[in-house]
Amino acid sequence: MDFTGSSCGGSDHRQIEENKPLLGEMAATGGSKMGAVPCRRSLLHFSGMRYKLLQEGDIQVCAIRHPRTFLSKILTSKFLRRWEPHHLTLADNSLTSATPTGYMENSISYSAIEDVQLLSWENAPKYCLQLTIPGGTVLLQAANSYLRDQWFHSLQWKKKIYKYKKVLSNPNRWEVVLKEIRTLVDMALSSPLQDDSIHQAPLEIISKLLSENINLTTQEHESIIVAIAPLLENNHPPPDLCEFFCKHCRERPRSMVVIEVFTPVVQRILKHNMDFGKCPRLRLFTQEYILALNELNAGMEVVKKFIYSMHGPTANCPHPRVLPNVVAVCLAAIYSCYEEFINSRDNSPSLKEIRNGCQQQCDRKPNIPLRLLHTNPDLVSQEVTSNESRHKSVIVTSNEIHVEVQRNNTVNQKLKANTGNDSEPNLIDCLLICPACSTISIELSPQAERVLACYVEILKMLSDYDDWRPALAILLQPIPFPKEALAHETFTKELKHVIQRFAEDPRQEVHSCLLSVRAGKDGWFQLYSPGGVACDDDGELFASMVRVCNNVHILMGSCYKTKKFLLSLAENKLGPCMLLALRGNQTMVEILCLMLEYNIIENNDTQLQIISTLESTDVGKRMYEQLCDRQRELKELQRKGGPTRLTLPSKSTDADLARLLSSGSFGNLENLSLAFTNVTSACAEQLIKLPSLKQLNLWSTQFGDAGLRVLSEHLTALQVLNLCETPVTDAGLLALSSMKSLCNLNMNSTKLSADTYEDLKAKLPNLKEVDVRYTEAW
């Protein structure tokens, strides 16, 4: 075999290609455009029969130890009738048998095989291969022609790869090495074998070559990258090759190779990668590639075009893995901006240490001492009188990072209270800032600032796509950023655009992600609320999170106007709500009215203060008057009298029910049947006004989970509830666990699960009659 480029049937084509500057050809064909791909050597692609690469198999073996001059006579002799069955394995360096006896007592090294060919002349054994070795010949006989050809191509491939590994393991002249790399790539492209390893094996050989020869020139870098580009069109680069690509992106971000060769590679990674955790260097390569795009003259415009190319021109992105992969890259890049400070704070191994093997304990950075400063004389006097309520200003410096964090005594008390149990401290409590203290100041290095600005801008771009916004909101709901980032004013200010887009989205699955991911944890709603660490606009964003859209609450709609939500506002954000209402914010005015309407505020003085706040503005006066009118109507509705049983005609609507209940007194109404009507969850606001209601029939209505949540908080005395053939699910049925008076519950033909049914039985002690037919729990 000639290793100077004359093998694989592609020598003539390679000699023609040799004189063409591949990169220049790409540029001439529009390579400067985003998404341009390197020239494909289409003539080398195999178009005939395809085979899977054999690793092992059963075959008949016959060995002839005779000179080649007698081969033609031996091939037709009677001695060829002696064949041995063997299970052969095509290892990396030799052909071995599972039963090393007879002809295959010793393995046959690929280096010892001089030639591999098919026997096709007259009187030759059927379906037979000939392996020429020193001093004789080994014949392999397959069961059919397809298996024979599969063994033939597999043996040829293993033999050639073995020789390329040896040749490229000791490079002397890089112009010869580059030619061998091109020949190796052509061989992989023209091979009739169809297997992932056909393209991966050459990439791994080249990856090892580059890892062992790090002192290459930039021109040699680019020549190698262009040479292996065709293999990267349908294959992820190996880890060592990713490191090589990262280095090129950092050192030559403006190189045309970055756009022309790396763009299709990164696009494939983002479209098809399933888990960056299995290959983190793919993520690092993608991260460095995007930073290289940002270094071009157009900067973020190029990045924006790249994100658009990943999304596509249609309304919905056809590749479901793109968004999670881009977000993963963004989160890792943002974390890396604060990594040095995080490591200096907790002395934990850095991502770089984890990738390269953790340092010895003695090599770790020592803990940086904290210096306590008192910026206010009043705080000094307070500290003298009370050591437990101390205002601290913590300054931590770590090379290029300067962090100043102010904490008030309330936060310190909360943190001390949490040390006695196993629950971790609340995120917002850890970052809450005292308004009387100076603001947080975090200074990153110029490079870290550029990285942060780039990837926060990408998150803003992602939030502008309507189809990506629901999934993006879910990914960001747990607040997957380090505390140092949340304490960085620049970061939270830029990220506000993303949160604003979530708040403005009318879809419940989007704006509901502003709330905490689970109980006991804070969400974006708390982070950007007045008094939160990220709030810098006097609550404007907070107000927009609960702003009305066509007279329908967005965030309040997702909370279904529950008492729980209003109670949390009354306990934690009543002061900011009253301040914004005093300034005429309509959303906050309506929230204060709801607190009064649902009797959230028990203290009379606080109620009078809320009323005074409402009457201080025109919009407040108007809405408070409407509240008073509703309260008078409610008193009239709840006045004793009226029927004890009531059945609405079929096909009645929510408006019909509201009109009926506003016509007189229903204080005695105990049994209400809405069966086979067209009422929905919206009628729950009317139902909770009935103080004596004990039996409610919603059979075959459109009453759903939202209505159940409202009923569970207000109609706690309800005893009989019929939900047969309603669209309720586990999400709404779980709320019934607070209705302790329920003794008869019909959930026939609903989406009740077995787990929810068991949970309800455990939490409803008075439940005696239950119908769960035609459900999962049946």
Side-chain angles (χ1 to χ4, degrees):
M1 178 176 179
D2 185 2
F3 280 88
T4 60
S6 59
S7 62
C8 302
S11 58
D12 295 339
H13 180 74
R14 168 50 57 201
Q15 290 170 2
I16 296 173
E17 290 286 329
E18 192 73 29
N19 299 322
K20 293 182 180 180
L22 208 56
L23 186 60
E25 187 175 297
M26 285 188 291
T29 58
S32 59
K33 297 180 181 179
M34 175 59 61
V37 296
C39 293
R40 295 182 176 86
R41 292 188 280 263
S42 57
L43 294 178
L44 292 178
H45 285 280
F46 190 84
S47 58
M49 183 77 75
R50 288 287 184 175
Y51 308 92
K52 183 174 178 59
L53 177 64
L54 276 176
Q55 300 296 340
E56 57 181 339
D58 295 321
I59 198 166
Q60 299 288 326
V61 180
C62 180
I64 302 107
R65 307 294 180 183
H66 291 284
R68 300 181 194 176
T69 55
F70 298 102
L71 179 60
S72 58
K73 294 181 180 181
I74 294 174
L75 288 175
T76 57
S77 69
K78 61 181 180 181
F79 299 103
L80 285 180
R81 298 173 185 173
R82 182 173 173 265
W83 294 85
E84 293 179 356
H86 283 272
H87 185 84
L88 300 186
T89 300
L90 283 75
D92 291 337
N93 53 8
S94 63
L95 182 65
T96 61
S97 173
T99 55
T101 58
Y103 294 142
M104 295 301 299
E105 182 177 1
N106 298 317
S107 61
I108 303 174
S109 174
Y110 295 138
S111 60
I113 300 176
E114 298 175 1
D115 192 17
V116 180
Q117 61 183 9
L118 301 174
L119 296 186
S120 57
W121 57 80
E122 188 178 356
N123 296 328
K126 205 172 184 181
Y127 312 133
C128 195
L129 297 177
Q130 172 187 316
L131 309 183
T132 304
I133 60 175
T137 300
V138 176
L139 301 180
L140 305 179
Q141 190 174 36
N144 53 58
S145 60
Y146 181 86
L147 283 177
R148 177 201 61 191
D149 293 344
Q150 188 177 17
W151 274 96
F152 171 71
H153 292 298
S154 298
L155 279 168
Q156 276 197 328
W157 173 260
K158 289 286 187 177
K159 181 176 180 295
K160 292 175 183 179
I161 285 293
Y162 174 75
K163 290 189 175 182
Y164 271 110
K165 286 181 179 179
K166 293 185 66 176
V167 169
L168 295 178
S169 61
N170 296 308
N172 294 321
R173 297 170 53 197
W174 277 100
E175 59 273 13
V176 176
V177 170
L178 183 60
K179 194 170 185 179
E180 298 296 338
I181 290 175
R182 290 172 176 169
T183 308
L184 176 60
V185 171
D186 290 346
M187 183 187 75
L189 293 175
S190 60
S191 174
L193 295 173
Q194 191 171 19
D195 193 89
D196 292 339
S197 61
I198 299 303
H199 288 173
Q200 284 296 328
L203 290 176
E204 290 173 0
I205 293 174
I206 298 168
S207 177
K208 183 179 179 182
L209 173 69
L210 294 173
S211 64
E212 295 175 351
N213 299 270
I214 60 176
N215 298 321
L216 300 179
T217 65
T218 303
Q219 186 60 39
E220 290 169 343
H221 276 193
E222 294 191 350
S223 298
I224 293 174
I225 292 172
V226 172
I228 64 176
L231 291 180
L232 297 173
E233 293 178 10
N234 297 309
N235 299 275
H236 289 338
D240 290 337
L241 206 55
C242 287
E243 290 285 350
F244 176 70
F245 291 167
C246 289
K247 180 180 178 183
H248 190 80
C249 288
R250 287 190 294 266
E251 294 179 353
R252 297 207 63 193
R254 294 175 180 267
S255 168
M256 289 302 297
V257 170
V258 172
I259 289 184
E260 304 220 4
V261 179
F262 289 168
T263 296
V265 179
V266 173
Q267 286 177 334
R268 187 182 187 280
I269 291 172
L270 293 177
K271 289 177 181 178
H272 301 289
N273 178 68
M274 297 301 295
D275 185 7
F276 277 130
K278 295 180 179 178
C279 189
R281 294 186 185 181
L282 286 177
R283 176 186 54 74
L284 290 173
F285 167 48
T286 306
Q287 181 177 325
E288 294 293 343
Y289 165 79
I290 293 176
L291 292 176
L293 293 185
N294 192 38
E295 292 295 325
L296 299 177
N297 292 336
M300 288 307 300
E301 284 299 319
V302 182
V303 177
K304 186 175 182 180
K305 290 180 180 178
F306 173 74
I307 297 297
Y308 175 79
S309 71
M310 296 308 305
H311 180 276
T314 58
N316 295 307
C317 178
H319 304 286
R321 291 301 309 166
V322 169
L323 178 66
N325 287 333
V326 173
V327 172
V329 172
C330 291
L331 296 180
I334 292 172
Y335 183 90
S336 67
C337 296
Y338 303 93
E339 183 181 8
E340 185 175 357
F341 167 72
I342 295 170
N343 294 332
S344 65
R345 170 173 56 81
D346 59 14
N347 205 30
S348 60
S350 65
L351 294 178
K352 187 174 182 181
E353 289 175 342
I354 294 173
R355 290 194 300 266
N356 299 332
C358 292
Q359 300 175 359
Q360 298 296 325
Q361 186 65 33
C362 59
D363 296 334
R364 295 278 181 83
K365 302 174 185 177
N367 286 327
I368 296 180
L370 304 181
R371 182 158 53 94
L372 306 182
L373 302 179
H374 303 286
T375 58
N376 192 324
D378 296 334
L379 300 183
V380 178
S381 61
Q382 289 179 9
E383 184 182 14
V384 174
T385 57
S386 176
N387 289 329
E388 295 185 356
S389 59
R390 181 178 299 171
H391 294 262
K392 295 182 180 180
S393 173
V394 182
I395 295 181
V396 181
T397 58
S398 175
N399 297 335
E400 298 170 334
I401 303 178
H402 173 75
V403 179
E404 183 177 348
V405 182
Q406 304 283 356
R407 294 188 177 94
N408 60 14
N409 57 342
T410 304
V411 177
N412 286 333
Q413 292 171 1
K414 288 182 179 180
L415 291 177
K416 289 178 181 179
N418 284 335
T419 57
N421 51 47
D422 296 333
S423 62
E424 58 181 283
N426 188 288
L427 174 63
I428 307 304
D429 291 341
C430 293
L431 297 173
L432 195 62
I433 308 168
C434 177
C437 301
S438 60
T439 58
I440 289 178
S441 174
I442 295 182
E443 296 179 6
L444 302 178
S445 66
Q447 174 62 18
E449 288 284 359
R450 287 194 294 271
V451 173
L452 182 66
C454 174
Y455 283 98
V456 173
E457 191 65 28
I458 291 176
L459 290 177
K460 293 162 69 174
M461 295 176 192
L462 299 178
S463 68
D464 290 335
Y465 288 93
D466 289 339
D467 61 315
W468 275 350
R469 203 174 299 131
L472 179 63
I474 293 173
L475 291 171
L476 297 186
Q477 185 179 12
I479 313 185
F481 301 103
K483 296 177 182 178
E484 289 72 17
L486 300 177
H488 189 190
E489 182 180 0
T490 303
F491 172 76
T492 54
K493 186 175 181 180
E494 292 298 322
L495 196 66
K496 187 190 297 184
H497 173 85
V498 179
I499 307 304
Q500 184 76 44
R501 298 291 286 169
F502 293 165
E504 294 172 351
D505 196 295
R507 290 170 290 187
Q508 187 268 337
E509 65 267 24
V510 177
H511 55 253
S512 64
C513 291
L514 295 171
L515 301 175
S516 59
V517 68
R518 64 180 185 272
K521 298 293 180 181
D522 285 312
W524 294 111
F525 183 79
Q526 289 81 9
L527 194 69
Y528 280 93
S529 62
V533 64
C535 182
D536 61 351
D537 55 4
D538 293 330
E540 293 181 7
L541 178 58
F542 169 75
S544 68
M545 292 182 190
V546 288
R547 181 171 297 155
V548 291
C549 179
N550 296 326
N551 296 324
V552 177
H553 280 277
I554 291 181
L555 188 57
M556 289 290 288
S558 68
C559 296
Y560 309 102
K561 297 186 180 180
T562 60
K563 284 186 175 180
K564 182 178 178 181
F565 178 72
L566 293 174
L567 279 170
S568 66
L569 287 182
E571 291 176 359
N572 304 311
K573 307 296 179 185
L574 183 58
C577 289
M578 293 176 64
L579 177 61
L580 291 171
L582 192 62
R583 294 174 178 176
N585 187 285
Q586 185 172 347
T587 302
M588 295 300 111
V589 168
E590 187 168 353
I591 284 179
L592 293 182
C593 290
L594 287 172
M595 289 181 180
L596 295 177
E597 185 173 1
Y598 292 158
N599 295 320
I600 300 298
I601 307 298
E602 297 180 356
N603 186 281
N604 292 331
D605 293 336
T606 305
Q607 290 180 359
L608 292 175
Q609 186 176 355
I610 291 176
I611 294 173
S612 300
T613 302
L614 293 174
E615 291 180 339
S616 62
T617 60
D618 293 338
V619 63
K621 283 182 180 179
R622 185 178 68 256
M623 297 188 73
Y624 181 63
E625 290 175 357
Q626 294 173 357
L627 170 62
C628 294
D629 292 340
R630 290 198 303 272
Q631 293 287 38
R632 283 191 290 270
E633 293 174 0
L634 180 62
K635 287 182 179 179
E636 176 63 24
L637 171 68
Q638 296 178 344
R639 187 167 56 86
K640 291 297 181 181
T644 58
R645 300 174 62 91
L646 181 64
T647 300
L648 255 67
S650 60
K651 299 184 179 181
S652 299
T653 63
D654 297 330
D656 297 328
L657 176 63
R659 192 177 300 108
L660 176 64
L661 294 181
S662 63
S663 63
S665 300
F666 292 90
N668 292 339
L669 185 61
E670 296 182 356
N671 189 322
L672 175 61
S673 177
L674 302 177
F676 306 103
T677 63
N678 295 329
V679 298
T680 65
S681 295
C683 74
E685 292 189 11
Q686 303 297 327
L687 298 177
I688 61 177
K689 298 176 182 179
L690 302 172
S692 303
L693 191 62
K694 295 180 180 179
Q695 301 180 27
L696 178 60
N697 188 351
L698 295 169
W699 188 0
S700 191
T701 64
Q702 295 302 310
F703 198 88
D705 295 336
L708 282 185
R709 289 191 179 93
V710 177
L711 295 184
S712 65
E713 291 195 338
H714 296 271
L715 297 182
T716 55
L718 198 66
Q719 297 177 1
V720 179
L721 179 60
N722 189 345
L723 298 172
C724 180
E725 296 181 6
T726 57
V728 295
T729 65
D730 287 346
L733 292 171
L734 281 172
L736 299 179
S737 60
S738 62
M739 305 176 73
K740 304 300 182 182
S741 299
L742 272 179
C743 57
N744 189 316
L745 181 59
N746 189 339
M747 297 177 285
N748 187 323
S749 303
T750 62
K751 296 180 180 179
L752 171 72
S753 68
D755 292 340
T756 300
Y757 176 52
E758 294 299 327
D759 187 70
L760 287 175
K761 288 196 300 183
K763 294 181 179 179
L764 297 176
N766 297 321
L767 196 60
K768 298 178 182 178
E769 297 183 22
V770 185
D771 188 348
V772 294
R773 288 176 297 171
Y774 307 107
T775 67
E776 183 183 316
W778 188 27

